[in-house]
Amino acid sequence: MADNKTGLELRSLIKKSGQLEISLARVPVPEPAADEILVRVEASPINPSDLGLLVGAADMTTAKASGTADAPVITAKVPEAAMKAMAGRLDESMPVGNEGAGVVIKAGSSEAAQALNGKTVAMIGGAMYAQYRCMKAKDVLPLPEGTTPAEGASCFVNPLTSLGMVETMRREGHKALVHTAAASNLGQMLNKICLKDGIGLVNIVRSAEQGDILRKLGAKHVVDSSKPTFMDDLTNALVETGATLAFDAIGGGRLAGQILSCMEAAANKTAKVYSRYGSSVHKQVYIYGSLDTRPTELVRNFGMTWGIGGWLLFPFLMKIGAADGARLRQRVVDELKTTFASHYTKEVSLQEALQLDNIAAYGRRATGEKYLINPNKGG
Amino acid sequence: MADNKTGLELRSLIKKSGQLEISLARVPVPEPAADEILVRVEASPINPSDLGLLVGAADMTTAKASGTADAPVITAKVPEAAMKAMAGRLDESMPVGNEGAGVVIKAGSSEAAQALNGKTVAMIGGAMYAQYRCMKAKDVLPLPEGTTPAEGASCFVNPLTSLGMVETMRREGHKALVHTAAASNLGQMLNKICLKDGIGLVNIVRSAEQGDILRKLGAKHVVDSSKPTFMDDLTNALVETGATLAFDAIGGGRLAGQILSCMEAAANKTAKVYSRYGSSVHKQVYIYGSLDTRPTELVRNFGMTWGIGGWLLFPFLMKIGAADGARLRQRVVDELKTTFASHYTKEVSLQEALQLDNIAAYGRRATGEKYLINPNKGG
């Protein structure tokens, strides 16, 4: 199937009729301009943030496979009620895959591009679930000798997000952090960063097994939201760490509000006078994921000094500027095989990524389970 | 009953047993120090913010009257589930009444105090539901000649809150405002300010009658949340005004989230490219009241660039500092009989404020209904 002029690219399309269609398009291999390089993509993770674009609001229990083994097609229904939120992407065949890594196989004439020829590089910018990706030379992250594409595939989203959480904590005047779905790949990185930097971190997990994963990494504060003592356990951990800022990957249900309630209870343990407006300590939760797509429910028993908001990596990087962004990226490269090492459940080809059993597995968004796509696997 | 040495003061007490008790205590009239003045309080409004302290979390459908006509006592039950939130005030007899106005009847020896003798002044600082209130001379607001205590009773909470909303809008880079429960006394002030200052204001009301009140004041954008076309009406008003900041007095239910959803829809009407993270326009709702005490429910269909938080007058005034605070206060005095004029449903004595029918009326927190206590009525 492979030739030198075309390559496969995964596409997600939601039609006006309410049908999701995921397929592999055969597209021309781009010719790099002077300041560009052409990368053979060999590793690209399926992050929760990719699933949003890949399956959109479709109900994947309705998913059906068709097409051929080489050119599989997946279709599924988008519920009527969810179509409004999809309005912006209707009838547009969209490439997917935020980040990845691969080998530079062709370079433009510029010195910067030529210097990368044959190098393994990490990339961010979408359309990574493809055999070839053309990038500006200045936008890629060259990986140190001896780094494989699989090792460098997740250089951006999780590493920069976890570093961004710590950076946000410092910039907004908090002294410790709370994190939910804390046994995730991202959560494990955050634990390593906080242990290394001496920052208090309260990990909220949903099962004993997830707690064990973190304790093995050396996590000091792990609380289990499935236990009846959860609220007390969380409050105690907040008193011990002084954490007044949380990053929440769950989004839906009562958890974000419960964190604020416990922060308020922790603040009031040391309060001297009663104020019916609650403590004057600012309590903040940033929702950066949506593992639970139900509504967020806030039982407002945490006074008036609080905030909840969305948090997203790219606007954050824009806000801190190029110099600070470069500092964070350098740390990722320096600690790629330690702090920022990622582990994958399974490596799949583009075709395998479109098999129903694999979709069911990575679509679960289960903590600690992560798929890696190698668009050139066996190719 | 009146003598020169004692005066009545309204007190609210929540006992460990779960009983609320509201009563009138006879307390010594304070002797003003050199820099203080003694004020005979003649007018103090019952704001929603006062009700929180007055009745706390008690279920007022269980309220019972006892005592005598001169010394009435109201008791009610605090539901078990709500007692945790009351922990900070248990068994403490608390004075009530954030703001008020009255006549200076005694002054300390300092020049500043003496200059106020016989003057009508407005005050903030709690314990205003009392016949006498001792204040530092520098902390009161002297009212212009010809202003009655009733006219000056609400100089702080509503005027400074509405001015604070406009000030917050400017400081946080928004160009227009949304306000809920918009026909309230506060909402009427906000309309007058915005009309005078040329600021776009989207008023959300819950009935046609409330809409009429605002239209009579000249309000341009009034949307009714009880109508089936509410979401479309709101989105259109947001497109017309460009409002990306809302102040919400309701708090509970879905309204705060609906405002964010409509802001997102308004932003996407002009968006050029699809982003599954939603528009990059920051959308903010500040909850400053809790007319609906149910949980806040956010259906997160408004992208990732949003925030919700508590907003409270005093921390806001602390943040902007003394000079800007003085500027806002001066505007209140200058426009006290126009922009900041308050209207009251009924004037009651301290004893009448403790009658079950009056409690039922002001306890409804109905938009446009407001009681004024005159602690020296008939005294």
Side-chain angles (χ1 to χ4, degrees):
Chain A
M1 297 292 292
D3 59 47
N4 292 328
K5 296 196 176 148
T6 64
L8 293 175
E9 180 172 274
L10 189 150
R11 293 289 184 84
S12 172
L13 167 70
I14 292 179
K15 299 177 182 172
K16 279 211 181 71
S17 62
Q19 190 180 53
L20 166 73
E21 185 183 285
I22 310 174
S23 62
L24 301 180
R26 186 159 284 282
V27 296
V29 174
E31 186 63 29
D35 60 343
E36 291 180 337
I37 52 171
L38 182 68
V39 180
R40 185 178 68 230
V41 185
E42 297 184 12
S44 177
I46 305 181
N47 288 317
S49 51
D50 294 308
L51 285 171
L53 190 55
L54 182 64
V55 306
D59 173 4
M60 294 309 282
T61 63
T62 68
K64 287 194 175 64
S66 60
T68 64
D70 278 343
V73 175
I74 296 291
T75 52
K77 276 186 197 152
V78 180
E80 185 68 33
M83 280 298 283
K84 201 176 169 183
M86 298 292 105
R89 58 169 288 185
L90 292 184
D91 286 343
E92 210 173 316
S93 174
M94 310 196 75
V96 189
N98 279 318
E99 64 181 336
V103 177
V104 178
I105 56 169
K106 204 179 222 180
S109 57
S110 74
E111 202 178 325
Q114 284 294 322
L116 292 169
N117 224 338
K119 291 265 164 65
T120 299
V121 296
M123 307 172 281
I124 188 159
M128 296 297 165
Y129 298 167
Q131 293 185 306
Y132 303 98
R133 180 69 162 89
C134 196
M135 295 281 293
K136 298 255 185 219
K138 70 174 176 55
D139 288 344
V140 305
L141 190 61
L143 296 171
E145 283 290 324
T147 310
T148 66
E151 287 170 336
S154 299
C155 267
F156 295 92
V157 178
N158 283 345
L160 291 179
T161 299
S162 50
L163 285 173
M165 290 173 179
V166 172
E167 196 76 11
T168 299
M169 178 199 81
R170 293 199 179 106
R171 283 168 187 256
E172 298 188 3
H174 302 273
K175 61 174 272 199
L177 284 171
V178 179
H179 189 224
T180 70
S184 65
N185 192 293
L186 172 69
Q188 295 180 32
M189 283 183 192
L190 187 60
N191 271 280
K192 292 186 212 163
I193 296 169
C194 288
L195 283 167
K196 195 164 184 178
D197 295 7
I199 295 165
L201 173 64
V202 178
N203 295 279
I204 300 178
V205 296
R206 286 169 292 180
S207 72
E209 295 71 36
Q210 291 173 356
D212 289 342
I213 294 172
L214 294 176
R215 279 191 206 90
K216 271 181 205 149
L217 286 178
K220 282 184 205 127
H221 304 280
V222 181
V223 297
D224 184 340
S225 62
S226 70
K227 280 194 183 170
T229 55
F230 170 58
M231 296 292 279
D232 288 335
D233 297 345
L234 177 55
T235 303
N236 290 336
L238 293 171
V239 169
E240 283 172 41
T241 57
T244 47
L245 173 65
F247 284 89
D248 176 33
I250 312 278
R254 293 208 166 182
L255 185 60
Q258 287 172 327
I259 293 170
L260 291 174
S261 301
C262 292
M263 284 177 177
E264 178 70 5
N268 284 333
K269 284 205 173 182
T270 53
K272 303 229 162 26
V273 289
Y274 173 71
S275 162
R276 72 165 217 84
Y277 298 114
S279 79
S280 58
V281 176
H282 185 71
K283 299 160 289 285
Q284 179 72 38
V285 175
Y286 286 118
I287 294 177
Y288 75 95
S290 194
L291 295 177
D292 182 341
T293 55
R294 290 177 304 159
T296 310
E297 215 182 317
L298 308 173
V299 178
R300 302 185 313 289
N301 59 359
F302 36 70
M304 291 298 280
T305 313
W306 60 277
I308 294 194
W311 192 94
L312 204 54
L313 178 60
F314 296 103
F316 167 76
L317 290 174
M318 296 278 281
K319 196 168 70 183
I320 69 171
D324 278 334
R327 175 171 55 79
L328 300 186
R329 279 162 63 137
Q330 189 55 49
R331 179 163 179 186
V332 176
V333 171
D334 293 345
E335 301 174 28
L336 191 55
K337 294 193 184 183
T338 54
T339 312
F340 302 109
S342 284
H343 303 284
Y344 302 98
T345 316
K346 198 170 176 182
E347 183 184 296
V348 294
S349 67
L350 285 171
Q351 290 82 1
E352 288 163 345
L354 267 61
Q355 287 171 2
L356 287 175
D357 53 344
N358 284 327
I359 293 177
Y362 62 68
R364 266 203 306 273
R365 302 163 197 231
T367 297
E369 267 190 42
K370 188 185 280 261
Y371 271 58
L372 186 69
I373 295 181
N374 178 353
N376 283 287
K377 186 184 172 191
Chain B
M1 299 291 294
D3 59 48
N4 292 327
K5 294 195 179 147
T6 65
L8 293 175
E9 181 173 273
L10 189 151
R11 293 291 183 83
S12 172
L13 168 70
I14 291 179
K15 299 177 182 172
K16 279 210 182 70
S17 62
Q19 190 179 54
L20 165 72
E21 186 183 285
I22 311 175
S23 62
L24 301 180
R26 186 157 283 281
V27 296
V29 175
E31 186 63 27
D35 61 343
E36 292 179 336
I37 52 170
L38 182 69
V39 180
R40 187 179 65 230
V41 185
E42 296 184 13
S44 177
I46 305 180
N47 288 316
S49 52
D50 294 308
L51 285 171
L53 190 56
L54 183 64
V55 305
D59 173 3
M60 294 309 282
T61 63
T62 68
K64 287 195 175 65
S66 60
T68 64
D70 278 344
V73 176
I74 296 292
T75 53
K77 276 187 198 154
V78 180
E80 186 68 33
M83 280 296 284
K84 202 177 169 183
M86 298 291 106
R89 58 169 288 185
L90 292 184
D91 287 342
E92 210 172 314
S93 174
M94 308 194 78
V96 189
N98 279 317
E99 64 182 337
V103 176
V104 179
I105 57 168
K106 206 179 218 180
S109 56
S110 74
E111 203 177 323
Q114 284 294 321
L116 293 169
N117 224 337
K119 292 264 164 62
T120 299
V121 296
M123 306 172 282
I124 188 160
M128 296 297 166
Y129 298 167
Q131 292 185 304
Y132 303 98
R133 180 70 161 88
C134 195
M135 295 282 292
K136 298 256 185 218
K138 70 176 174 55
D139 288 344
V140 304
L141 191 60
L143 297 171
E145 283 289 323
T147 310
T148 66
E151 287 169 337
S154 298
C155 267
F156 295 92
V157 178
N158 283 346
L160 290 179
T161 299
S162 50
L163 285 173
M165 290 172 178
V166 172
E167 195 77 11
T168 299
M169 178 199 81
R170 293 199 180 107
R171 284 169 186 253
E172 299 187 5
H174 302 273
K175 60 174 274 202
L177 283 171
V178 180
H179 189 225
T180 71
S184 66
N185 192 293
L186 173 68
Q188 296 181 33
M189 283 182 192
L190 186 60
N191 271 280
K192 292 187 215 164
I193 295 169
C194 289
L195 284 168
K196 195 164 185 179
D197 295 6
I199 296 165
L201 173 64
V202 178
N203 295 279
I204 300 178
V205 296
R206 287 168 292 180
S207 73
E209 295 71 37
Q210 291 172 356
D212 289 342
I213 293 173
L214 293 176
R215 280 191 206 91
K216 272 182 204 148
L217 285 177
K220 281 182 206 129
H221 304 280
V222 181
V223 297
D224 184 341
S225 61
S226 70
K227 280 193 183 170
T229 55
F230 170 58
M231 297 292 280
D232 289 334
D233 297 344
L234 177 55
T235 303
N236 291 337
L238 293 171
V239 169
E240 283 173 43
T241 57
T244 48
L245 172 64
F247 284 89
D248 175 32
I250 313 279
R254 293 207 165 183
L255 185 60
Q258 287 173 327
I259 294 170
L260 290 174
S261 301
C262 292
M263 285 178 178
E264 178 69 5
N268 285 334
K269 285 206 173 180
T270 54
K272 304 230 159 27
V273 288
Y274 172 70
S275 162
R276 72 165 216 85
Y277 298 114
S279 79
S280 58
V281 176
H282 184 72
K283 299 161 287 288
Q284 179 71 40
V285 175
Y286 285 118
I287 295 177
Y288 75 94
S290 194
L291 295 177
D292 182 340
T293 56
R294 291 177 304 159
T296 309
E297 216 182 317
L298 308 173
V299 178
R300 301 184 315 288
N301 59 359
F302 36 69
M304 291 297 280
T305 313
W306 60 277
I308 294 193
W311 192 93
L312 204 55
L313 177 60
F314 295 103
F316 167 76
L317 290 174
M318 296 278 281
K319 195 167 72 183
I320 68 170
D324 278 335
R327 175 171 56 80
L328 300 186
R329 279 161 62 136
Q330 188 57 48
R331 180 163 178 185
V332 176
V333 171
D334 292 346
E335 302 174 26
L336 190 56
K337 294 193 185 184
T338 54
T339 313
F340 302 109
S342 286
H343 303 284
Y344 302 98
T345 316
K346 198 171 176 181
E347 182 183 298
V348 294
S349 67
L350 285 171
Q351 291 82 1
E352 287 164 347
L354 268 62
Q355 288 171 2
L356 289 174
D357 53 344
N358 284 327
I359 293 176
Y362 61 69
R364 266 202 307 272
R365 303 163 196 232
T367 298
E369 267 189 41
K370 190 185 278 265
Y371 272 58
L372 187 69
I373 296 181
N374 177 353
N376 283 287
K377 184 184 172 192

